Each structure stands twice: as C-alpha cells, then as structure tokens.
Amino acid sequence: DTGVSQNPRHKITKRGQNVTFRCDPISEHNRLYWYRQTLGQGPEFLTYFQNEAQLEKSRLLSDRFSAERPKGSFSTLEIQRTEQGDSAMYLCASSFYGPLDTEAFFGQGTRLTVV
Amino acid sequence: SQKIEQNSEALNIQEGKTATLTCNYTNYSPAYLQWYRQDPGRGPVFLLLIRENEKEKRKERLKVTFDTTLKQSLFHITASQPADSATYLCAFLHGSGNTGKLIFGQGTTLQVKP
C-alpha cells in the first residue's frame, strides 16, 4: 500500500460543468476525510466518513457537493454546476480511528480550476 | 464556535536558530493536538501528536508543548535548516466518542534563510 491516492491530480473545467474526484485511502483505515484548501489557508473541513457512513457534512458546503464511500473503501466527491469559487485544492485524508486515535495521512490533492 | 488559530504572518529566521510557532484554540478543550508540515502543492504530512496530559513531546529537532490552561500549543524547531522551510499546520479532533472530526488552523509559513 503506497498511501492515499487521489485522482485526477489536476482538473480544469468550465463553469456549470460537473466534476468528480476519487480518493483511495490506506486500506486498513476506517476514517476518510475531504478538505478544501485555498491559497494561504489551512485545510477546510468538508465531510468525513467512518467506514461507509457519512458522519458529518460541513454547513458551509452547498448542496452542489456530494460525497460517497460505498462499501467503506474508496470515496468520490462530486461537485455539480461548478462555480469559479469552487477553484481550490481538494484534499483527501484517511486515518484509523480507535481508542488511541492516530494521525491522518493525506493524498497529494486534486487541484480544481473552474474557468 | 470552536476556533483554532495560528499566526498568519510568515516567520523568517536565520539558519541555526530556533523557530517557534504558536497555535491557539478557543471554545473547546481538545484531548490532543497534532502538528503537520505542508510543502507547496502537496498534502500535509503528520509530524507530532501531543495529548492533553502531556506537557511536552520531542522528536529529533522538533518539540511540542501543550498548555491546556492557556489553550495553546507551541511548536519548536531547533537548529533550523533551509529544508525546514514550509507551512506548519496544527489540528485537533473536534467531537467526542465516535464522531470527532479533525479540524485545522490556517497554518504558519516558516522561511529559514541560509
């Protein structure tokens, strides 16, 4: 297992189009996070999963955003009707959540540019 | 609401000096804090975790302290090197039981000059 993998690494799309990103976490990790990061800011929480259950979705996230983690394995993040303000780096992280919580491992991110 | 704040101004220091970065939090009492390093265009990489019952933790040239009274964590890099130049993020798990989520500060950029 080589770590958290995100695809694609870069995505340029026209405003109004839908985009989907994929995240493959470390296989034994039960927790998966999605974050959005813009220049000069820290990762902003979007949503997270414990196994296949989506436990929380940020209130800042509009209903154009949806995430899934079927069977508790890989996850997808879809943005519908993209807007220029959606341009950012989208980061996925996974961790093993247990009695002694451990660190999160991040993927390289998907950089989205909406033109 | 819960907040985690880091100094948004970049920290510029000379090689060999000790860099000290600050992380403050409000309206919450996390069980632990984590520190990450992020290089441009890459995802954050975990460095250290410190629990609320630990005052200090060290790893090689890194040292983290956690003051639950001041609601503050300090991150030190001793004998800094130009390769330490990066953005450093603090984070904590917000929530309890099975539903905590990891939230981050905005990060502080460190520039170490040779």
Side-chain angles (χ1 to χ4, degrees):
Chain A
D1 198 342
T2 56
V4 178
S5 176
Q6 289 189 248
N7 287 289
R9 290 291 310 278
H10 304 274
K11 178 72 177 178
I12 300 174
T13 191
K14 290 184 178 179
R15 187 161 49 98
Q17 297 293 304
N18 299 343
V19 294
T20 300
F21 310 141
R22 177 177 170 125
C23 173
D24 287 273
I26 293 172
S27 57
E28 61 266 26
H29 284 179
N30 53 9
R31 184 161 281 187
L32 186 148
Y33 295 88
W34 284 100
Y35 293 90
R36 177 172 62 190
Q37 189 174 30
T38 54
L39 198 62
Q41 299 297 313
E44 175 191 19
F45 171 79
L46 295 180
T47 188
Y48 79 112
F49 295 82
Q50 180 96 345
N51 300 311
E52 66 274 8
Q54 187 173 18
L55 295 188
E56 188 172 338
K57 185 176 173 179
S58 169
R59 281 172 281 180
L60 300 174
L61 214 58
S62 77
D63 55 9
R64 296 185 297 107
F65 288 71
S66 62
E68 293 183 342
R69 192 185 183 195
K71 301 178 184 177
S73 56
F74 71 92
S75 176
T76 58
L77 177 69
E78 181 183 17
I79 309 174
Q80 296 182 327
R81 305 181 303 282
T82 52
E83 302 172 357
Q84 286 189 321
D86 297 331
S87 295
M89 175 77 87
Y90 289 83
L91 293 164
C92 174
S94 71
S95 69
F96 182 77
Y97 186 81
L100 291 175
D101 196 14
T102 59
E103 68 268 27
F105 292 79
F106 281 81
Q108 297 284 48
T110 294
R111 181 166 296 284
L112 173 66
T113 302
V114 181
V115 297
Chain B
S1 63
Q2 300 78 17
K3 273 189 176 180
I4 183 166
E5 292 182 344
Q6 297 181 252
N7 191 343
S8 57
E9 287 185 18
L11 179 63
N12 295 293
I13 64 169
Q14 207 65 36
E15 182 177 8
K17 300 292 186 184
T18 296
T20 299
L21 287 70
T22 305
C23 176
N24 295 296
Y25 57 93
T26 55
N27 299 328
Y28 194 64
S29 296
Y32 61 77
L33 281 168
Q34 299 182 358
W35 284 88
Y36 290 77
R37 169 183 172 140
Q38 187 173 28
D39 292 288
R42 305 182 76 89
V45 174
F46 172 79
L47 295 174
L48 280 169
L49 179 153
I50 184 166
R51 302 187 186 281
E52 60 181 342
N53 60 351
E54 297 174 317
K55 295 296 182 188
E56 179 180 299
K57 185 165 261 189
R58 293 176 185 261
K59 179 182 176 184
E60 297 172 351
R61 294 184 295 111
L62 308 181
K63 184 178 86 170
V64 173
T65 62
F66 191 3
D67 189 324
T68 55
T69 302
L70 292 178
K71 293 186 180 292
Q72 182 180 80
S73 175
L74 298 180
F75 177 82
H76 306 272
I77 305 176
T78 58
S80 60
Q81 303 166 1
D84 295 327
S85 299
T87 296
Y88 292 87
L89 300 157
C90 67
F92 66 70
L93 196 74
H94 174 250
S96 59
N98 202 30
T99 59
K101 65 187 181 190
L102 194 63
I103 61 173
F104 285 82
Q106 71 268 43
T108 299
T109 297
L110 171 68
Q111 187 72 35
V112 181
K113 298 183 178 178

